Amino acid sequence: MDQQEFAGKVAFVTGAGQGIGAAVARQLRDAGATVVATDRNPDVVERYADAERITGLSCDVTDSAQVDAAVAQAEDTVGPIDVLANVAGVLAKGPVSSFSDSDWRFTFGVNTDGVFHTSRAVASRMIPRGRGSIVTVSSNASGVPRRNMAAYAASKAAATMFTKSLGLELADHGIRCNVVCPGSTDTPMQRAMWEHDGGGPEPILNGDPANYRVGIPLRRIADPDDVADAVLYLASDRARHVTMQELYVDGGATLR
Ligand SMILES: NC(=O)c1ccc[n+]([C@@H]2O[C@H](COP(=O)([O-])OP(=O)(O)OC[C@H]3O[C@@H](n4cnc5c(N)ncnc54)[C@H](O)[C@@H]3O)[C@@H](O)[C@H]2O)c1
């Protein structure tokens, strides 16, 4: 790969305060982009205070006014956005029979509404320029039923189909929209799940027949960089003829 293939480009990343979003922001920067790294957690500003070509910006994707303002600020200060990476996401687990209204709305507010808010704000600016690439980080749970994860899986399936439909709308304008579907990836979100369920990564690697869950054929939990690699590929000109696609990065866990 050309190490500087994003030279001169501007990237806007959501959920960049930690985990996969932080890896995406860092890899885009290392490949030459100037990156606006946004997160609901205001610590994101401090985190990137000394970083070269990465600016941290506090932005909650559930609030469309905040998103519009952050996108405007990014374009005013850094320049026209070439790449949008929708990475912000949340996981609330539990059986449907006792799942609360607030957990359902929280899940969809970030995972689905958030992707709509940022994609609309950025796409409306990309259209007149006739170029751009949008990548949404969904989940392999969007394509396979999971116990205790109905809200999460449904919110990610919605984000996936939204992004693919957007890709059809924007193809005329030279803008590509694709989806990365990670499996279990070693981030604070994943570790919180291990703590919640007990047992660490072993049941995930080995599979859990009682919960109709196969293991991970490649026998490893992904690193955030494994997922970021896929995001960068789809965002890059190497994928110039790829749009409306889903790329599963899950070690084979969904047997697709
Ligand atoms: N880690 C996994 O195993 C895994 C698997 C499949 C999909 N994913 C998806 O990958 C993405 C990144 O996950 P991660 O594991 O790095 O999670 P994480 O919880 O470690 O990091 C998520 C980041 O998103 C931010 N965020 C949450 N709500 C936000 C909001 N309303 N506005 C802006 N930022 C917000 C958080 O502050 C945090 O910095 C998520 O969309 C997640 O659903 C993760």
Side-chain angles (χ1 to χ4, degrees), residues 14-21 38-41 59-62 87-90 110-111 137-140 152 156 182-190:
T14 71
Q18 65 183 33
I20 293 168
T38 71
D39 202 282
R40 173 183 57 187
N41 186 341
C59 174
D60 183 336
V61 297
T62 64
V87 192
V90 290
V110 180
N111 296 355
V137 174
S138 178
S139 169
N140 68 353
Y152 180 78
K156 289 294 190 178
S184 300
T185 307
D186 191 355
T187 67
M189 177 189 282
Q190 180 66 219

Side-chain angles (χ1 to χ4, degrees), residues 21-248:
V24 169
R26 183 180 30 76
Q27 282 203 20
L28 282 165
R29 189 277 311 276
D30 291 349
T34 301
V35 179
V36 179
T38 71
D39 202 282
R40 173 183 57 187
N41 186 341
D43 292 353
V44 73
V45 175
E46 184 78 11
R47 177 183 174 128
Y48 295 110
D50 298 325
E52 200 189 334
R53 272 186 291 107
I54 306 187
T55 309
L57 190 62
S58 171
C59 174
D60 183 336
V61 297
T62 64
D63 179 342
S64 66
Q66 256 190 58
V67 169
D68 290 348
V71 168
Q73 186 180 337
E75 293 225 336
D76 288 349
T77 54
V78 181
I81 296 167
D82 299 287
V83 172
L84 166 63
N86 287 312
V87 192
V90 290
L91 171 65
K93 288 188 74 172
V96 173
S97 53
S98 58
F99 207 73
S100 69
D101 290 0
S102 62
D103 275 350
W104 178 270
R105 281 194 293 269
F106 170 66
T107 304
F108 273 74
V110 180
N111 296 355
T112 312
D113 299 5
V115 171
F116 165 56
H117 294 152
T118 47
S119 300
R120 177 179 61 184
V122 172
S124 65
R125 290 165 178 270
M126 285 177 167
I127 287 169
R129 300 194 283 261
R131 65 170 202 278
S133 177
I134 295 173
V135 181
T136 295
V137 174
S138 178
S139 169
N140 68 353
S142 67
V144 63
R146 291 267 192 246
R147 279 188 163 183
N148 297 321
M149 287 173 76
Y152 180 78
S155 71
K156 289 294 190 178
T160 294
M161 189 47 78
F162 166 79
T163 303
K164 291 168 77 168
S165 301
L166 183 66
L168 182 57
E169 265 185 47
L170 299 185
D172 282 352
H173 301 282
I175 301 162
R176 298 180 299 101
C177 301
N178 290 291
V179 179
V180 172
C181 295
S184 300
T185 307
D186 191 355
T187 67
M189 177 189 282
Q190 180 66 219
R191 284 179 180 260
M193 196 163 74
W194 296 347
E195 212 161 281
H196 176 271
D197 297 347
E202 289 308 317
I204 291 170
L205 291 169
N206 294 336
D208 181 5
N211 281 308
Y212 306 100
R213 189 170 176 142
V214 297
I216 301 180
L218 286 182
R219 305 291 308 157
R220 58 187 285 277
I221 301 289
D223 291 328
D225 278 327
D226 296 327
V227 181
D229 279 338
V231 172
L232 260 74
Y233 163 66
L234 289 169
S236 78
D237 290 341
R238 282 177 292 151
R240 65 183 178 273
H241 209 48
V242 180
T243 192
M244 298 176 247
Q245 297 302 306
E246 290 167 72
L247 179 50
Y248 277 66

